[in-house]
Amino acid sequence: MIRRAPTAAPTMTKLQAILVRSDSRILRGLTVVCLLTMCAGLAYAQTAKAEAYSAGTHATTSDDNNGLINVQQSDLLKKRVTDNWLSYNGDYTGARHSDLTQITPGNVSRLTAQWVFHPRTVSPLEVTPVVVAGIMFVTSANDAYALDAKTGKVLWHHVRAISQGLVDDPGQHHNRGVAILGTRIYMETDNAHLLCLDARSGHLIWDAPYATGNKNYGATSTPLIVKNSVVVGISGGDDGVRGFLAAFDAETGEEIWRFWTIPSPGEKGSESWPGDSYLHGGGTTWMPGTYDPELNMLYWGTGNPAPDYDGSVRPGDDLYTSSLLALDPDTGTLKWYFQFSPHDLYDYDAVQTPVIVNARFKGRPRKLIVTANRNGFIYVLDRADGKFLFAKSFMNTLNWSKGLDENGRPLLTGLIPDQNGVRVCPANGGATNWYSPSYDAAIHMFYFRSYEACAMIQANTKPFEQGRNYYASGIRAADEEGKGYINAFDLDTLDFAWRNLQIGRDKGWGGVMSTATGLVAYGDDAHNFVIADGRTGKPLWHFHVGQLIHASPMSYAVSGKQYFAIAAGSDVFSFALP
Amino acid sequence: MRPRWIETLLALVVMFLFGCVSLDAHAQESDAVHGAQRFMEYCAGCHGADARGGDKAPPLVSPSNTTNLSESQLFRIVQDGTKGGMPPFAQIGDANIHAVVQFLIRLKNNGASENASVEAAITGDVEAGRSLYFGKAECSKCHLINGKGGFMARNLTSYARNRNADEILRAITTPDTPLVPSSQVVTVTTKVGRNLTGVLRNEDNFTLALQTNDGRYYLLARNDVTGVHYSGHSLMPRDYRTRLTPKELNDIVSFLIFASRNSRSDKVEGR
């Protein structure tokens, strides 16, 4: 199903916006070409060119810095994402939007596979590669690799055995990649250690175990660098751990602060957690957050309460589960929170990327957070104070809520899971999930994957036990087949510009990214990596990777050549123009 | 048919004898070679030549359950197969199973034999060794140990965990035996006549990956290179036998053994 933008006029404006951007980029490119021509006699330029063996026609930067890894704070704070892709989402906004312009709607049909990297450890990979100066960093379980981003060939490999005895997600050894600062990279291990490796050699500098006291703790995410600290979340929210967010000194690995997402006795919200249940309340932080350096606020989503489906043992709202937290990154102090699904009974984690957006909202320029939530609503919040501004359902069959009140609190329909099960839409897997959304600021378009499915959710009161999950009962899939969509939500009209039904036998878990030339890249439900026209949703190119895509794409450039990369199944693929 | 049959029988006899010989205490190296050969013969078809897994079977190196199994557990798996579909290999005989298991244990221990010297005697002055490591001997310029030091050469944090003092001393005084391919220093001449000297991290028929002392990677196409001079050496100085006294060398060895024994383990109680 494709829904077009409601009127032609705004579409034209956006088309013009793209053209204007392209023009200025072309002019800038021409200037660079002229300057380079003038300097052609310089041996230095010649050397650089000779070494750029696969040099394209579009030089974004010189090769001066290729191969030299040294990421500064100023690099992390850059407003444009070009050759380097420095973090899971590309930059602090979480927009997963590349400003590279070599690949366009006009030439994308010529895109070809450049290389495949096969780490031979876990499948499916959930990593987003990080690229610095032509070096790509990927993780697979507890292993890390540095690759030549032009060829996929291994420069170093940090080997670390998987951990035994983990339950649930960490027991599958998923890992979403590295964070980088200076000459060091940081990664989480399945058993929740924060590792600091030398990015030039892969050698371990320090190893900070950061979750103790409950064997069900684990980690599957990627750290976020904020100033000189490394912020990490935790996994195990379906297994009865107590969620937290912690910051470590990037130099020494010493802990700076820790924010518990489940309050201890006596603290605000503790009425939901009788006895020692706060120690098993979930609210984990298993995806990286975003950061606004101007407001000095860190935004991080929290997961479902535990036990997942049995709400009888956790009365009230279950703070701060299924929420968005805004924290002071220097101290870990809570500035505000917004709870999407109070007293969640359906496993509606709220860890989907809280994207930082500066846009006119209802005519007024505002600092916003835009996020599509697992509970089936897309939200717009004021990111200075967490005030609810807008929400809209993106699921046709949503049945757990009749809508939201003026504060964004859901109006419930009263579906309480019991031993027989109740039919809940969206299913426990969510109307969307951790796979990345994307935001194109030039046309105010928010792209994300969604999934229409229902499930029979059953509940049964059970005690917490280490070494076992803590869903407190389970799921029967409802009879009908689910449907996946790639969506474009227009922040100007506050409506969908288009929604593309995904046809395929396998539910896709591939995220979305966008580029400055108006392209949107994603993994579909039939093992294809697809690049579509962001204005219409029309697919322009695809490549069959032959495996389930369970990761989100990124783009980078080396020696003037733009690439798209995505992990699929047990491999990482890279694509570029010939 | 008959000659092939005789050949096989002869091979089995030789393998059997080789297997017996390799059990001799001094034959650690040939034991390793033997194990590697048996692995290639019986296991690599499914688990990959590098033991990192293939289409039919999982990896036997990290991340893998194998790395946490005991010698007897590994022996039993090779002998009886697994419920997951691995066939039994009892038919290859205990000696060959033993060789394969020893090979797997060496993989787990990063190339060192299991019982080399877990508790190698410390006969030198650890503190003096530490001072030499970070000072006069300049080991730390290239080698990281417990998070401190350079990045160009291998991490020595757990290097001595499975090596005895003689092995470590030999590695210091007669480096490059054998030369690890990814540590070889090469000089590459590019088409424009520029010479780049660095460590050859990777190469194949099409590309070269060179790392210079400042940490920078040069990722070159063979087409853009007119010459490659292979030095036959790593960056490791070859004059430590004369640069340092026997006591100093022994102090460094002692420091390495001490450091690896006290390095932080991957496993932490309660995670």
Side-chain angles (χ1 to χ4, degrees):
Chain A
M1 175 177 76
I2 297 180
R3 256 203 275 164
R4 303 244 172 245
T7 60
T11 312
M12 282 305 292
T13 314
K14 278 159 197 167
L15 177 60
Q16 284 160 354
I18 289 172
L19 289 172
V20 166
R21 271 182 299 152
S22 305
D23 282 345
S24 64
R25 202 64 50 73
I26 289 164
L27 281 174
R28 226 174 297 153
L30 280 173
T31 315
V32 171
V33 169
C34 290
L35 283 170
L36 277 177
T37 313
M38 283 157 62
C39 301
L42 293 175
Y44 185 74
Q46 282 181 348
T47 311
K49 199 175 161 195
E51 279 160 13
Y53 71 91
S54 56
T57 53
H58 175 100
T60 46
T61 59
S62 79
D63 281 350
D64 279 11
N65 295 315
N66 278 352
L68 198 60
I69 305 154
N70 195 359
V71 175
Q72 303 302 307
Q73 295 289 347
S74 56
D75 297 320
L76 295 173
L77 292 167
K78 272 184 185 159
K79 301 279 187 201
R80 297 174 72 247
V81 178
T82 54
D83 296 24
N84 293 335
W85 187 275
L86 296 176
S87 59
Y88 180 79
N89 284 314
D91 70 5
Y92 281 133
T93 67
R96 203 172 275 257
H97 180 82
S98 170
D99 286 297
L100 292 170
T101 56
Q102 189 173 63
I103 301 168
T104 67
N107 63 20
V108 68
S109 64
R110 295 193 289 121
L111 214 59
T112 54
Q114 301 295 302
W115 52 260
V116 179
F117 172 62
H118 184 52
R120 290 187 172 185
T121 45
V122 290
S123 183
L125 295 170
E126 294 189 349
V127 61
T128 294
V130 161
V131 171
V132 180
I135 315 292
M136 176 181 285
F137 299 96
V138 295
T139 59
S140 169
N142 291 339
D143 287 14
Y145 302 82
L147 310 175
D148 176 348
K150 287 184 296 195
T151 64
K153 287 169 189 172
V154 177
L155 302 174
W156 57 249
H157 173 196
H158 178 80
V159 182
R160 184 184 174 103
I162 53 168
S163 307
Q164 302 296 311
L166 300 171
V167 296
D168 218 1
D169 291 324
Q172 295 174 40
H173 318 291
H174 295 305
N175 193 283
R176 294 192 174 87
V178 307
I180 186 159
L181 180 64
T183 57
R184 293 171 165 197
I185 56 169
Y186 302 86
M187 68 178 283
E188 299 168 7
T189 65
D190 55 2
N191 61 343
H193 287 220
L194 172 59
L195 304 186
C196 169
L197 307 178
D198 193 313
R200 300 161 298 190
S201 63
H203 295 158
L204 180 70
I205 295 173
W206 49 256
D207 170 350
Y210 66 87
T212 53
N214 186 335
K215 286 184 176 169
N216 292 5
Y217 275 127
T220 56
S221 185
T222 177
L224 184 75
I225 303 288
V226 179
K227 303 178 191 177
N228 287 314
S229 69
V230 190
V231 184
V232 287
I234 192 73
S235 297
D238 300 321
D239 315 308
V241 305
R242 184 187 185 200
F244 65 84
L245 203 60
F248 292 82
D249 185 306
E251 177 67 26
T252 63
E254 297 302 316
E255 186 168 323
I256 302 169
W257 54 256
R258 181 171 295 230
F259 178 82
W260 293 100
T261 62
I262 307 292
S264 55
E267 289 181 325
K268 183 190 172 184
S270 57
E271 62 278 6
S272 285
W273 310 105
D276 69 353
S277 66
Y278 73 101
L279 296 172
H280 310 295
T284 46
T285 45
W286 53 275
M287 286 297 291
T290 56
Y291 167 56
D292 182 340
E294 283 154 24
L295 289 176
N296 196 33
M297 272 191 210
L298 177 64
Y299 303 96
W300 213 288
T302 65
N304 58 274
D308 292 49
Y309 308 126
D310 174 22
S312 68
V313 298
R314 45 177 176 82
D317 283 354
D318 306 325
L319 294 178
Y320 295 94
T321 64
S322 302
S323 300
L324 179 64
L325 308 176
L327 302 167
D328 180 329
D330 303 317
T331 61
T333 311
L334 183 67
K335 302 300 236 184
W336 57 258
Y337 71 94
F338 180 84
Q339 192 173 35
F340 302 95
S341 308
H343 194 65
D344 166 37
L345 298 173
Y346 322 118
D347 195 3
Y348 291 160
D349 298 71
V351 301
Q352 304 77 38
T353 312
V355 182
I356 289 176
V357 168
N358 293 321
R360 294 186 82 80
F361 180 80
K362 295 186 175 167
R364 210 184 112 195
R366 292 193 83 143
K367 292 175 183 286
L368 307 171
I369 289 279
V370 181
T371 186
N373 193 276
R374 197 156 149 168
N375 70 11
F377 291 91
I378 181 169
Y379 292 81
V380 180
L381 308 176
D382 185 316
R383 74 171 180 274
D385 55 14
K387 188 169 180 288
F388 170 78
L389 299 176
F390 173 83
K392 185 180 178 68
S393 166
F394 54 88
M395 189 176 180
N396 297 319
T397 54
L398 187 141
N399 75 351
W400 70 279
S401 151
K402 287 173 281 195
L404 308 177
D405 71 13
E406 70 277 11
N407 296 316
R409 190 178 176 93
L411 304 163
L412 301 176
T413 55
L415 301 173
I416 313 288
D418 56 22
Q419 292 188 21
N420 301 319
V422 290
R423 185 172 179 276
V424 180
C425 316
N428 57 309
T432 187
N433 208 309
W434 60 266
Y435 27 78
S436 67
S438 167
Y439 177 68
D440 185 343
I443 56 173
H444 307 151
M445 201 68 80
F446 187 85
Y447 302 101
F448 66 103
R449 161 179 281 281
S450 67
Y451 193 65
E452 296 255 345
C454 306
M456 294 293 291
I457 300 184
Q458 297 166 306
N460 221 338
T461 300
K462 289 177 181 170
F464 166 78
E465 256 181 86
Q466 288 205 36
R468 302 189 63 163
N469 68 47
Y470 193 38
Y471 290 93
S473 208
I475 294 298
R476 278 188 293 130
D479 295 334
E480 71 271 37
E481 209 176 299
K483 290 185 176 73
Y485 292 88
I486 304 295
N487 308 283
F489 184 79
D490 187 331
L491 274 186
D492 289 337
T493 62
L494 294 175
D495 203 351
F496 291 96
W498 49 263
R499 301 192 70 192
N500 268 7
L501 175 64
Q502 299 299 298
I503 303 166
R505 295 286 160 84
D506 237 343
K507 179 192 173 187
W509 288 78
V512 178
M513 73 164 293
S514 53
T515 78
T517 55
L519 295 173
V520 171
Y522 55 91
D524 76 1
D525 290 20
H527 304 181
N528 295 305
F529 178 46
V530 182
I531 298 184
D533 186 327
R535 288 165 298 155
T536 63
K538 184 188 168 199
L540 301 172
W541 170 91
H542 69 277
F543 182 92
H544 189 246
V545 291
Q547 324 170 58
L548 185 63
I549 297 176
H550 223 265
S552 301
M554 52 81 70
S555 187
Y556 64 96
V558 190
S559 302
K561 185 166 180 168
Q562 183 185 355
Y563 298 77
F564 280 95
I566 190 162
S570 56
D571 299 292
V572 179
F573 291 78
S574 184
F575 304 90
L577 294 173
Chain B
M1 281 304 284
R2 177 162 288 190
R4 182 69 54 85
W5 186 83
I6 289 170
E7 236 174 66
T8 312
L9 185 67
L10 272 171
L12 283 171
V13 170
V14 169
M15 269 160 54
F16 176 68
L17 289 173
F18 194 66
C20 293
V21 170
S22 71
L23 292 176
D24 287 352
H26 72 280
Q28 260 181 22
E29 282 306 306
S30 68
D31 208 11
V33 172
H34 183 57
Q37 286 170 341
R38 297 291 80 81
F39 181 84
M40 287 305 292
E41 188 173 349
Y42 299 119
C43 317
C46 293
H47 290 286
D50 55 359
R52 296 199 64 80
D55 293 338
K56 298 176 200 152
L60 300 175
V61 290
S62 163
S64 157
N65 293 341
T66 318
T67 51
N68 294 303
L69 296 173
S70 71
E71 184 171 345
S72 58
Q73 285 171 315
L74 288 169
F75 194 97
R76 211 160 40 242
I77 289 172
V78 179
Q79 182 172 263
D80 301 338
T82 66
K83 282 183 193 156
M86 175 174 149
F89 281 82
Q91 72 278 10
I92 69 174
D94 286 1
N96 283 322
I97 296 176
H98 175 77
V100 166
V101 168
Q102 290 308 310
F103 175 74
L104 293 175
I105 288 167
R106 286 181 76 93
L107 282 181
K108 166 171 90 175
N109 292 328
N110 203 11
S113 53
E114 165 127 278
N115 50 4
S117 169
V118 176
E119 285 301 317
I122 293 179
T123 57
D125 181 339
V126 169
E127 281 314 308
R130 188 195 309 275
S131 302
L132 285 160
Y133 185 97
F134 289 103
K136 182 176 135 189
E138 298 184 319
C139 312
S140 65
K141 270 177 81 176
C142 295
H143 290 285
L144 195 74
I145 193 159
N146 284 320
K148 292 190 174 64
F151 56 86
M152 284 302 281
R154 81 177 282 168
N155 184 353
L156 296 182
T157 304
S158 55
Y159 177 78
R161 199 174 282 169
N162 298 294
R163 285 174 172 80
N164 63 41
D166 286 348
E167 263 182 278
I168 300 165
L169 181 65
R170 264 202 310 279
I172 297 172
T173 54
T174 54
D176 309 333
T177 50
L179 175 66
V180 177
S182 62
S183 70
Q184 179 164 203
V185 175
V186 299
T187 300
V188 170
T189 308
T190 66
K191 263 185 178 168
V192 291
R194 186 172 177 197
N195 283 332
L196 292 165
T197 297
V199 177
L200 187 60
R201 297 305 187 194
N202 201 343
E203 68 167 337
D204 60 21
N205 286 333
F206 309 100
T207 56
L208 294 150
L210 207 69
Q211 190 174 27
T212 47
N213 283 341
D214 58 354
R216 180 171 180 159
Y217 284 101
Y218 287 85
L219 307 167
L220 307 167
R222 290 243 181 223
N223 285 343
D224 292 321
V225 164
T226 56
V228 184
H229 171 69
Y230 294 83
S231 72
H233 297 293
S234 67
L235 289 172
M236 180 83 174
R238 295 188 291 284
D239 60 353
Y240 275 132
R241 197 187 286 282
T242 50
R243 246 168 85 181
L244 301 171
T245 66
K247 183 193 178 301
E248 286 173 329
L249 285 166
N250 190 39
D251 290 346
I252 292 174
V253 170
S254 295
F255 167 63
L256 290 175
I257 295 172
F258 176 84
S260 69
R261 219 175 263 177
N262 293 284
S263 66
R264 205 162 169 177
S265 163
D266 284 356
K267 291 197 179 70
V268 171
E269 194 60 36
R271 284 292 106 77

